[in-house]
Amino acid sequence: MADILIKNARIITCKSNGPKMGAEMQDLGVIENGFVAVDNGIITDVGYGEGEEFKVRHTEIIDAEGRLVMPGLVDPHTHLVHYGSRENELELKLKGASYIDILKSGGGILSTVSATRAASFEKLTDKVVSSLDLMLQWGTTTVEAKSGYGLNFVDEVKSLEVLKNVKHPIDIVKTYMGAHAVPTEYKSDKEGYINLMIDRIIPYIAENQLAEFIDCFCEEGVFSVSESESILLKGKEFGLKIKLHADEIEPMGGAQLAGRLSAVSAEHLVAASDEGIEEMKNAGVIPVLLPGTSFYLRLGRYARARKMIEAGMPVALATDYNPGTCPTESLQSIMVFASMGMGMTPQEVISAMTINSAHAINRGNIVGSIEKGKKADIIIMDAPNENYIVYHFGINHVATVIKDGKIVIKDKERQ
Ligand code: IZC
Ligand code: ZN
């Protein structure tokens, strides 16, 4: 018995026992002319043939001939909960202002903080829902989301409560990121802000299970390596898992810190040193690369994905969706930058946005591949093969989205 049977499909399973390491990322575990059976929200079988042994109980049989069936995309790094937008910075940026210059003059993150603090719970929720709707339409079925635009007790808790209470098919993994910037009221007392996080906010968030991860913006002019370390260690003491914005713009030693703390993942890594990459590898830290941000910051350089893959590391990719440095919800857009900017093959890109990104948020045993026993989070792309998705860029290839075994986006052409 099955609720849904997908047949005649080219199935990109992304099957793997753990994250796909280095060269393994090229192997997507493709099943030509296969079927997927779904029952009660779970994948119950995957194989060759039409799955004729499955009688379909409730919903329907999907004939996916000529299409690509893949795991729902997993976005392991977003700043989903924020209010307002920052298109005003576009012109400043084009005139040559750097990201950190804009932040130091009270713009950037801090302008989003003002808008987020002023927004009601309902308004913030509406904005989150409209972004989640877009993500789902573009094929994302699980997303990591950070706080970090409240920067005080009330508004950080508000942001995480919005994520906890929002009703949406997409699964959200929550991260506390109070260490995103120093709020204006603590401008000349950074230590005071760090103490507020350490003494009050982190314990409250952990005890009330408002987040699973803690993250910190370790960057020149934001939080130093030693400040980041004390904040992250406090989170760890309270049971939060560690992520880290490391070496995004300046080579700070963030990658080494991620290795030393055995972080689950370290993100950005554009300026990460050879030693940093080596220490991450030895500690099993997953590199989460954000090439849309390199592009949008006009950095003129990208993280060294090829070096990391050749070193045998399990590279993951994310949008970094945020209102300043990467205002897009679309992982399909990021595919192009990963491929053209960093030289990743379409196969590596898909591994990095499914099984590896699932592991980067501690969901590798539940989502990220089409395998028996996993959640039935499946997308059907109107594309003949995986190369085509990267090749025909800038458009949405998603035809159908199945989330938790329910068809939430229905193929318009074939209804
Ligand atoms: O709002 O600018 N890099 N945090 C770290 C960001 C970008 C988000 C922003
Ligand atoms: Zn980020």
Side-chain angles (χ1 to χ4, degrees), residues 77 79 82 86 89 99-100 103 107-110 112-113 146 148-149 177 180-181 217 219 222 245 248-249 268 290 293 297 320-326:
H77 181 133
H79 301 258
H82 63 263
R86 308 217 298 261
E89 287 172 17
Y99 176 71
I100 296 292
L103 177 60
I109 295 175
L110 295 173
T112 304
V113 169
K146 305 170 198 304
Y149 295 106
M177 195 179 173
H180 192 196
F217 191 11
E219 186 61 60
V222 194
H245 282 61
E248 174 177 354
I249 301 162
H268 288 292
L290 311 167
T293 306
L297 280 172
D320 195 19
Y321 169 56
N322 75 74
T325 62
C326 201

Side-chain angles (χ1 to χ4, degrees), residues 25-292:
M25 292 174 67
Q26 189 61 29
D27 177 9
L28 294 178
V30 175
I31 300 178
E32 289 287 2
N33 293 318
F35 74 90
V36 186
V38 169
D39 199 17
N40 260 322
I42 301 293
I43 296 166
T44 48
D45 212 345
V46 189
Y48 289 93
E50 296 220 341
E52 269 152 9
E53 62 275 33
F54 290 94
K55 287 206 177 64
V56 175
R57 190 168 40 206
H58 304 301
T59 323
E60 60 197 286
I61 295 176
I62 300 174
D63 188 333
E65 195 178 353
R67 298 205 159 165
L68 215 56
V69 174
M70 2 186 322
L73 302 177
V74 177
D75 193 343
H77 181 133
T78 81
H79 301 258
L80 172 65
V81 53
H82 63 263
Y83 208 70
S85 56
R86 308 217 298 261
E87 62 275 26
N88 59 314
E89 287 172 17
L90 187 61
E91 205 176 324
L92 293 173
K93 243 171 43 168
L94 294 174
K95 285 185 180 146
S98 81
Y99 176 71
I100 296 292
D101 290 344
I102 296 172
L103 177 60
K104 282 190 176 148
S105 67
I109 295 175
L110 295 173
S111 71
T112 304
V113 169
S114 306
T116 305
R117 286 179 178 178
S120 67
F121 194 88
E122 291 68 32
K123 284 246 184 300
L124 210 47
T125 302
D126 289 348
K127 177 140 168 73
V128 163
V129 168
S130 64
S131 282
L132 288 170
D133 284 347
L134 271 172
M135 287 173 173
L136 195 67
Q137 283 159 24
W138 285 72
T140 299
T141 48
T142 300
V143 71
E144 183 263 6
K146 305 170 198 304
S147 68
Y149 295 106
L151 306 189
N152 59 29
F153 184 91
V154 169
D155 293 294
E156 283 295 304
V157 169
K158 175 177 82 175
S159 300
L160 291 168
E161 294 268 12
V162 163
L163 295 174
K164 181 179 169 186
N165 291 309
V166 68
K167 303 265 179 297
H168 200 277
I170 293 184
D171 287 316
I172 302 175
V173 175
K174 299 189 290 305
T175 299
Y176 166 64
M177 195 179 173
H180 192 196
V182 178
T184 315
E185 64 275 20
Y186 280 95
K187 196 171 176 184
S188 46
D189 182 20
K190 195 193 216 181
E191 206 184 317
Y193 181 55
I194 294 174
N195 288 337
L196 171 71
M197 289 190 274
I198 286 181
D199 296 338
R200 253 191 96 204
I201 307 184
I202 292 172
Y204 181 88
I205 280 168
E207 279 157 16
N208 290 280
Q209 296 180 344
L210 287 175
E212 178 177 337
F213 283 89
I214 184 162
D215 193 343
C216 178
F217 191 11
C218 179
E219 186 61 60
E220 189 86 51
V222 194
F223 292 96
S224 70
V225 168
S226 70
E227 288 162 348
S228 302
E229 181 161 5
S230 52
I231 295 161
L232 295 170
L233 281 176
K234 193 69 187 183
K236 189 172 180 181
E237 186 189 318
F238 278 86
L240 300 176
K241 297 181 198 84
I242 297 177
K243 285 185 159 291
L244 177 58
H245 282 61
D247 303 321
E248 174 177 354
I249 301 162
E250 297 296 335
M252 297 269 293
Q256 284 92 327
L257 176 62
R260 197 156 73 241
L261 298 180
S262 290
V264 174
S265 68
E267 342 276 296
H268 288 292
L269 304 167
V270 176
S273 65
D274 290 351
E275 300 75 50
I277 292 172
E278 184 66 23
E279 287 189 33
M280 280 178 54
K281 185 187 167 195
N282 294 339
V285 182
I286 298 185
V288 175
L289 308 184
L290 311 167

